[in-house]
Structures are given as structure tokens and as C-alpha cells.
Amino acid sequence: MDSQDVKSDLVLILDYGSQYTHLITRRIRQLSVYSLCLNGTASLESIRKENPKVIILSGGPHSVHAPQAPCFPSGFIEYVESEKIPVLGICYGLQLLVQRLGGQVSIGEKQEYGRMEIEVQKACGLFGNRKVGDKQVVWMSHGDEAVKLPQGFEVAARSQQGAVAAVEDNKRRFYGFQYHPEVTHTHEGMETLQHFLFDVCGVSAEWKMKDVLEQEIKAIQEKVRLEDHVICALSGGVDSTVAATLVHKAIGDRLHCVFVDNGLLRYKERERVMETFERDLHLPVTCVDAAEQFLSQLKGVVDPEMKRKIIGKEFINIFDAFAHDLEQKFGKKPAYLVQGTLYPDVIESCPPPGTQSTHSHTIKSHHNVGGLPKNMKLKLIEPLKLLFKDEVRALGSILNVPEAFLKRHPFPGPGLAVRVLGDISQGNALDILRQVDEIFVQSIKDAGIYDKIWQAFAVFLPIRSVGVQGDQRTHSHVVALRAVTSQDGMTADWYNFEHNFLDDVARKICNSVRGVNRVVQDITSKPPSTIEWE
């Protein structure tokens, strides 16, 4: 399904590089309104193609005074005015609107970062039933400020330092917040967004997972011809499982699932996953043992991006071989490969769909996005590529995927290759990591806190430390434990375990796993770190 297939009002976000852009998308979707990101410098044709009901200009790290400051395309103002499309600028987006419409933006005498109180200056408009003089706490992050507004604009709110905090031109339907309503630190942010979308812009809350399911099935059936066969790469995780179940519902037995043991799986993962596929999901799954193939290609590789590229290439080689075997069986080679790519994968691996990004950086290549070779013979079906993780779980629930599957923590496509830092062939790193990870995750389950955590795992560090075990000096490996809470994987906070729990887990690991004499915990959030170490 492409964004044009969605039969509901679209709030289109033009992304200028803010770390909060994805949060705007999430907050809007929480209101049952479909939202999507495009690069802030996308062509006018790309914007028109999406047929947006509302356009939001995101924040960003740039100054409108910079020589290469990103901007919406030529003709954008004329387009939104002729189509009567409301435009909301947030932070940098506000400054961009003000400057391009004839106002003035200057470097602020006092920069505003963090929590700040603002005061409503104008009743109605952006703040609904708020009265003049009402105050609220918001989250600011700007150095420049609007000092002269374009003709027709009015100040809707000011900060406690007197800076413009919100503006509006109701006649031309231009609006702006100098703060970030999408972050939780802005206490009334969701109420403000809800009022803006429904009361000011007249958007309808019509985006439901049941409709998404129907639209996806229709799109797949239209794309895959009756004589076509399709391969689905199953990992045992939530994403690929929901994707497989959805495609199976659309085309039935023409779907052929393959589970690849790449030698980078968790403790007894192959046995556990295959049992569940057969017992609970009733999906036809072929298991391919390709451990030696993957591990031999990865030997000596230390760069994480190279690991991901190699793994992506080997997966496709296996899928091509599997497709050849099916061709011998059915007389026709499968034309498509199904993958459980999610919207965060797309955002982190490359620019949002349909864009040519120059203002955001690739964080990492996902094996099912940036890691795919250009000469891949199979065409892709990615039914979940516009969804976030919690939306995929909701879709899976409608499809009657077992709850145990839906609650599984995410597991990276490259597997343990990105949890062994450096060369995965060093000593018995993979075996050590599997044992440590099993102890850690099982302890979390036994403590009854598994569902409170977004993702928990262990990391094998490429260092050794001195220790004392059995009255003898040891020089053994160090492992790190990582557990985070999150809604969509785009941002995350580290999980604060009780000290007794950590003490118990560390003792179990050092007493049970030969070759480990030190356990550390990762207590960084995302940002600045990513969830995975590589």
C-alpha cells in the first residue's frame, strides 16, 4: 500500500531535520488521523501527489539566515492558498513561514531552550476556548525568533521573555508555534494539536486499523497477479509474522514462507520459532540452514554498516535460491518478496518515501531497506512500511496473531551480528552472547516486567577485564545489558531496574557463563544513542 491508497484525510509533514518530526507523525496518528513525512525540500509535484488536507512544516537545526537553509519549493505558497490548505509551522517551520511571507526573523537576544511558560495573547484561533492571559508550560528549542510578522498575521501567544510563541493568519490559513506541541514536556500539546486539526482545519478522524487491513489486502491483490507466487522472509518477530499473515489472507497458498537460520539467532531461537509457526500460525514455512554461509562471509568484518550490507546480500542470495527451487516445483518463479519493513526502518535508513534528502543523515542501514543490493531479482512487497510498531501490533490483533507473538521484543534483522561488537568470529563470542542474553531476558520474564520493556538484550564487548573467580586471577570478557522503554523505537529511555534484580542477574551470568567476569548496564537514552549498539 502506498500513501495514495489511504482513504482518509492526510496531514503531510515537511521534514526539516527536527529530532521530533517523527513524534508529530505519531501524535497525529494517535488522534486517528493519517500522517506522513516528506523531505522539507520535496518538489511541489510530490506534495500535490499526496493531496494533503493539512501541511505541517517541522522544526530543524537550521537558521533561516544560513546560505543553504532548506525551504519548501517554489510555488508552494500559491499552491496552498489556491487549494485552501492550512499550513502550520513548528519552530523552524514558523520562522520559515514568517520570512518567506515578508516578515522578519532575527537572532534572539535571549535564546529559549527547555521548559518555558507562554501566555495567550489572542482568544479563539489556535488556543480554542483559552482566554487572553491564560498560561501554559511548553517546550522551546530555538535561537532565532520572529520580530516582525507578515501582513495579516497576529500574535497568538508570547513567552515569558516576550518572544513570539504562536502566530496565526486565519484568513490565509497560516499558523505557527515557536514551541513543540508534540513533545510530552508541552503539557497541553495534544489538546492544542487536537483543536488545530479538528476545529481549525476540519480534519476527520477516519484512520482505523481495520480500514488499513482492508486497503492493504486490496493493494496486494491488485499488485500480485493470479498466476504469481510470493516468498515471505520470516524472522519469528512481530513485523514479519504480521506481514506474512496479512499476505496469506490476501493470496492464500501462493505465499511461500522461508525462515533462515543465519547462525546469528538467539538461544534455541530456531526450534522455538518453527514450533510456533506450525502450532499457532499454521503457515507453510521452510527452514533453511545457512549458518556457515553467513558466518564465513562475516569473518573478520568489524564495520557495522558492512555487516548489515553483507547480511542483506546473503539473505537475498538465499531468497533467490529458494525462488529457483519453487520454480522447479511450480513451473513459475516467484516474482515478489514480502518483508516486514516498518516506517521507522524507512526513516532511519534513508529519506522518507518519495524524497531526495539533503538535510537528514542515515543513522544505519536496515538489512531490509538500505542493506538490499541494487540488482535484487525479486520485487518487494512491504505491507507495513507506513506503520509504526504499535500499529503493527494492533493490525496483528485484528488478524488473530497470537498475543505472545505480538508482545515479543524487537530483534534486529542482522541478529547477533550487531550485538557482538567487532568481528563476530572472535573466540566463542556468539555462544557467550546467546547464554548471557537468555539469562537476562528469562530473568525479566520471571520478574513479571517483560511487557513493561520495549526491548531487552545483551551485548558482547570487544574488551577483556581482570577479575577474581575461584581464588584465581581471570582475564575474561565483558558483557553489557541493555533494556529500554519506547512507543515506536524512534526514541527510547533506559529501563530503571531495581538494584536487587541487577545484582541477581549479574551473579547468574558470571556464575553460569564461562568466559565472562564483568557485567555492565547501558543507561543511555535514544537520542543520543541508538537502541542497538551497532
Side-chain angles (χ1 to χ4, degrees), residues 386-407:
L386 299 179
L387 302 180
F388 289 91
K389 177 73 76 171
D390 59 324
E391 295 167 337
V392 171
R393 288 187 168 120
L395 191 65
S397 181
I398 297 173
L399 286 164
N400 296 317
V401 174
E403 186 177 8
F405 246 92
L406 296 179
K407 288 186 175 181

Side-chain angles (χ1 to χ4, degrees), residues 282-526:
H282 310 294
L283 288 172
V285 182
T286 299
C287 181
V288 176
D289 186 348
E292 184 176 346
Q293 178 177 336
F294 277 82
L295 298 182
S296 62
Q297 291 295 321
L298 290 166
K299 186 175 182 179
V301 178
V302 297
D303 179 68
E305 274 296 290
M306 185 59 67
K307 288 183 186 179
R308 290 175 180 273
K309 297 289 186 180
I310 290 172
I311 290 168
K313 180 181 178 181
E314 291 307 313
F315 268 125
I316 297 304
N317 289 339
I318 288 171
F319 300 147
D320 279 340
F322 184 62
H324 178 73
D325 292 341
L326 290 175
E327 182 182 17
Q328 300 299 312
K329 182 177 181 180
F330 295 106
K332 183 176 178 62
K333 193 170 186 178
Y336 294 95
L337 171 67
V338 178
Q339 289 192 314
T341 309
L342 302 192
Y343 200 35
D345 298 338
V346 175
I347 293 172
E348 287 194 339
S349 296
C350 55
T355 70
Q356 295 78 42
S357 177
T358 55
H359 308 294
S360 57
H361 299 277
T362 297
I363 298 172
K364 58 188 176 183
S365 295
H366 288 260
H367 78 285
N368 53 347
V369 185
L372 295 177
K374 295 179 180 179
N375 62 345
M376 187 179 70
K377 299 175 183 178
L378 296 166
K379 292 175 285 187
L380 284 179
I381 295 178
E382 297 172 297
L384 312 178
K385 70 178 180 180
L386 299 179
L387 302 180
F388 289 91
K389 177 73 76 171
D390 59 324
E391 295 167 337
V392 171
R393 288 187 168 120
L395 191 65
S397 181
I398 297 173
L399 286 164
N400 296 317
V401 174
E403 186 177 8
F405 246 92
L406 296 179
K407 288 186 175 181
R408 293 195 83 191
H409 289 181
F411 185 65
L416 299 183
V418 292
R419 292 180 180 174
V420 173
L421 304 193
D423 183 2
I424 66 166
S425 64
Q426 53 184 304
N428 57 341
L430 286 170
D431 288 337
I432 288 175
L433 182 57
R434 287 190 182 97
Q435 296 176 62
V436 172
D437 188 79
E438 177 70 7
I439 292 171
F440 182 38
V441 175
Q442 189 58 52
S443 296
I444 289 172
K445 291 178 178 178
D446 293 342
I449 55 177
Y450 185 81
D451 293 341
K452 296 180 180 180
I453 296 172
W454 168 267
Q455 196 169 355
F457 56 91
V459 180
F460 183 92
L461 304 183
I463 56 175
R464 291 175 180 264
S465 72
V466 173
V468 179
Q469 292 173 298
D471 294 328
Q472 294 183 346
R473 177 188 182 276
T474 60
H475 190 226
S476 300
H477 299 291
V478 181
V479 294
L481 305 181
R482 175 81 155 144
V484 297
T485 58
S486 179
Q487 282 192 321
D488 50 33
M490 295 297 292
T491 60
D493 290 321
W494 60 278
Y495 185 80
N496 192 6
F497 290 106
E498 292 183 1
H499 288 181
N500 288 342
F501 173 86
L502 290 173
D503 177 60
D504 182 58
V505 170
R507 289 175 186 274
K508 285 181 180 177
I509 291 171
C510 290
N511 289 337
S512 304
V513 183
R514 187 176 296 275
V516 173
N517 69 359
R518 192 176 300 272
V519 179
V520 298
Q521 184 189 8
D522 181 348
I523 57 169
T524 42
S525 299
K526 176 185 180 180

Side-chain angles (χ1 to χ4, degrees), residues 122-322:
K122 181 178 180 291
C124 300
L126 284 175
F127 295 102
N129 58 2
R130 296 295 180 186
K131 300 176 182 178
V132 173
D134 282 355
K135 298 177 180 180
Q136 59 177 283
V137 175
V138 302
W139 188 261
M140 292 282 196
S141 182
H142 69 99
D144 292 351
E145 64 177 88
V147 295
K148 179 184 176 183
L149 298 184
Q151 185 176 354
F153 274 70
E154 296 180 273
V155 177
R158 288 188 181 274
S159 72
Q160 63 191 46
Q161 296 187 147
V164 171
V167 299
E168 59 183 49
D169 179 347
N170 278 310
K171 184 176 181 180
R172 300 173 70 188
R173 310 199 80 181
F174 291 125
Y175 308 87
F177 294 121
Q178 187 56 73
Y179 62 90
H180 290 275
E182 69 275 18
V183 303
T184 55
H185 301 300
T186 297
H187 296 169
E188 300 176 34
M190 279 297 284
E191 295 176 24
T192 302
L193 284 174
Q194 185 171 353
H195 168 71
F196 174 72
L197 293 175
F198 299 143
D199 300 328
V200 176
C201 302
V203 172
S204 299
E206 298 177 341
W207 196 61
K208 312 292 183 185
M209 276 300 108
K210 184 177 180 181
D211 296 332
V212 171
L213 174 60
E214 294 174 357
Q215 292 160 5
E216 285 287 3
I217 290 175
K218 181 181 178 182
I220 293 167
Q221 290 173 337
E222 289 176 351
K223 184 173 186 177
V224 180
R225 297 173 301 179
L226 290 176
E227 66 271 20
D228 285 338
H229 288 262
V230 177
I231 293 174
C232 182
L234 278 175
S235 69
V238 176
D239 309 333
S240 63
T241 300
V242 173
T245 307
L246 192 158
V247 175
H248 190 258
K249 187 175 181 67
I251 64 172
D253 292 340
R254 288 181 291 137
L255 173 70
H256 309 277
C257 298
V258 56
F259 175 76
V260 179
D261 182 353
N262 58 5
L264 303 167
L265 301 177
R266 288 169 291 194
Y267 182 77
K268 292 188 176 180
E269 181 83 350
R270 173 175 171 175
E271 296 87 340
R272 293 169 177 173
V273 165
M274 288 301 296
E275 180 183 357
T276 304
F277 285 152
E278 296 170 3
R279 184 189 63 207
D280 298 326
L281 297 176
H282 310 294
L283 288 172
V285 182
T286 299
C287 181
V288 176
D289 186 348
E292 184 176 346
Q293 178 177 336
F294 277 82
L295 298 182
S296 62
Q297 291 295 321
L298 290 166
K299 186 175 182 179
V301 178
V302 297
D303 179 68
E305 274 296 290
M306 185 59 67
K307 288 183 186 179
R308 290 175 180 273
K309 297 289 186 180
I310 290 172
I311 290 168
K313 180 181 178 181
E314 291 307 313
F315 268 125
I316 297 304
N317 289 339
I318 288 171
F319 300 147
D320 279 340
F322 184 62

